[in-house]
């Protein structure tokens, strides 16, 4: 209830700002509880086979997804629990989304702050195609989509795709069933104030944050999705240390 109340107060600050119909639908969805239409569509999506592409109007305009179960889980986390909710003093915050997937996180940011400037990274070519379609269908403005992986260097790297949006940069230079993707050094974007930084990069978060350690003072809020891997040492302690030393309260 607190999260919804804060989001509504944020929305009221947008006075006289003309939103396109798709963005208006997102704002309405953010501020209203699920209804019978939501429950009916949710039941339909639950019958979808795993890793099957589809289309839904759960958030208003049609949105394309790569996996129904993953879509529903993310929609609940964002639009019900408001996992990425943040409060700032401006109605046009700067947001960086590392690991945007099909774009649900971008849609949420723009529902919370329609004037936000969002830079969204997604290296998976299949997911990026859906991301482009969904952002265009919702008529979102001031969204910079980049088909790159946020990383510690600008160049290329091997990437393993996953139908449920859990693709990752690989540990070794070449592995079976991988493809080459472009990478961008995240720290190069932290030379100016960033209101919200989301890092969900499936195991690369410790490396990316360590590379940004001395410039995290430019970031007001960070959301990090930690993914442990059996073939790598545990790194949660180092992530928390980097965040604290960067002046962020964990």
């Amino acid at each position: 209830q607190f999260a919804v109340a804060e989001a509504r107060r944020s929305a009221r600050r947008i006075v006289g700002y003309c939103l396109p119909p798709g963005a208006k639908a997102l704002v309405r969805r953010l501020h209203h509880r699920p209804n019978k239409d939501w429950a009916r569509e949710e039941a339909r999506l639950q019958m979808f086979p795993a890793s099957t592409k589809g289309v839904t109007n759960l958030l208003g305009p049609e949105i394309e997804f790569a996996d129904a179960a993953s879509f529903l889980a993310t929609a609940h986390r964002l639009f019900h629990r408001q996992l990425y909710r943040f409060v700032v003093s401006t109605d046009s915050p700067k947001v960086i989304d590392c690991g945007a997937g099909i774009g649900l996180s971008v849609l949420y940011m723009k529902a919370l702050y329609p004037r936000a400037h969002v830079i969204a990274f997604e290296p998976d070519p299949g997911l990026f195609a859906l991301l482009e379609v969904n952002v265009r269908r919702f008529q979102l403005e001031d969204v910079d989509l980049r088909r790159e992986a946020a990383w510690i260097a600008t160049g290329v790297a091997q990437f393993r795709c996953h139908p449920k949006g859990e693709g990752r940069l690989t540990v070794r230079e070449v592995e079976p069933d991988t493809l080459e993707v472009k990478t961008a050094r995240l720290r190069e974007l932290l030379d100016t104030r960033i209101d919200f930084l989301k890092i969900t990069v499936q195991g690369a978060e410790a490396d990316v944050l360590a590379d940004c350690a001395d410039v995290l003072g430019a970031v007001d809020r960070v959301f990090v999705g930690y993914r442990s891997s059996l073939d790598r040492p545990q790194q949660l302690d180092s992530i928390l240390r980097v965040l604290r030393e960067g002046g962020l309260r964990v």
Side-chain angles (χ1 to χ4, degrees):
Q1 292 177 340
F2 172 76
V4 173
E6 288 291 347
R8 286 176 175 166
R9 280 198 286 272
S10 299
R12 291 193 187 106
R13 289 201 298 267
I14 306 167
V15 179
Y17 184 59
C18 183
L19 295 177
K24 286 181 180 179
L26 279 176
V27 173
R28 286 196 299 270
R29 174 58 67 193
L30 182 63
H31 302 321
H32 291 85
R33 295 182 180 277
N35 53 23
K36 291 182 180 180
D37 291 336
W38 177 291
R40 189 179 303 112
E41 178 63 6
E42 184 177 47
R44 184 184 75 88
L45 294 176
Q46 288 172 345
M47 301 300 293
F48 257 69
S51 306
T52 301
K53 290 184 179 180
V55 178
T56 178
N57 61 0
L58 196 68
L59 299 179
E62 289 187 342
I63 182 170
E64 298 188 20
F65 57 82
D67 177 78
S70 297
F71 168 81
L72 283 174
T74 304
H76 274 280
R77 284 196 295 267
L78 270 57
F79 287 88
H80 292 179
R81 294 172 53 198
Q82 297 208 38
L83 190 63
Y84 298 157
R85 184 191 65 84
F86 64 100
V87 179
V88 290
S89 59
T90 176
D91 64 0
S92 54
K94 295 181 179 179
V95 177
I96 298 178
D97 185 350
C98 303
I102 66 169
L104 281 179
S105 51
V106 175
L107 299 184
Y108 175 79
M109 305 295 183
K110 295 295 284 186
L112 190 62
Y113 292 102
R115 284 181 167 176
H117 171 66
V118 180
I119 299 175
F121 290 95
E122 179 50 56
D124 185 309
L127 296 183
F128 186 83
L130 298 180
L131 171 63
E132 284 189 307
V133 168
N134 292 331
V135 167
R136 183 168 61 249
R137 187 165 287 160
F138 278 80
Q139 302 169 292
L140 301 183
E141 301 174 349
D142 208 5
V143 178
D144 180 2
L145 303 180
R146 304 188 182 189
R147 187 177 154 183
E148 300 171 322
W151 186 228
I152 64 174
T154 297
V156 295
Q158 294 297 310
F159 184 84
R160 184 186 297 279
C161 298
H162 192 285
K164 295 185 178 180
E166 299 176 359
R168 60 180 178 84
L169 294 175
T170 60
V171 177
R172 305 174 186 85
E173 290 188 3
V174 179
E175 291 185 11
D177 303 321
T178 62
L179 54 86
E180 189 175 84
V181 298
K182 292 183 178 179
T183 62
R185 194 179 186 189
L186 177 61
R187 69 168 289 133
E188 294 178 357
L189 295 177
L190 305 185
D191 58 351
T192 186
R193 180 74 174 180
I194 302 298
D195 294 288
F196 188 78
L197 170 61
K198 168 185 163 282
I199 302 178
T200 51
V201 289
Q202 306 299 328
E205 54 277 349
D207 295 322
V208 171
L209 281 169
D211 186 56
C212 298
D214 61 329
V215 292
L216 285 177
V219 181
D220 190 51
R221 289 172 176 79
V222 181
F223 179 94
V224 181
Y226 174 63
R227 176 59 62 93
S228 178
S229 177
L230 292 175
D231 60 354
R232 301 185 68 179
Q234 294 279 322
Q235 297 179 297
L236 181 58
D237 57 336
S238 63
I239 289 174
L240 295 175
R241 183 176 63 253
V242 168
L243 292 173
R244 285 194 297 266
E245 291 177 354
L248 293 156
R249 184 179 177 83
V250 179

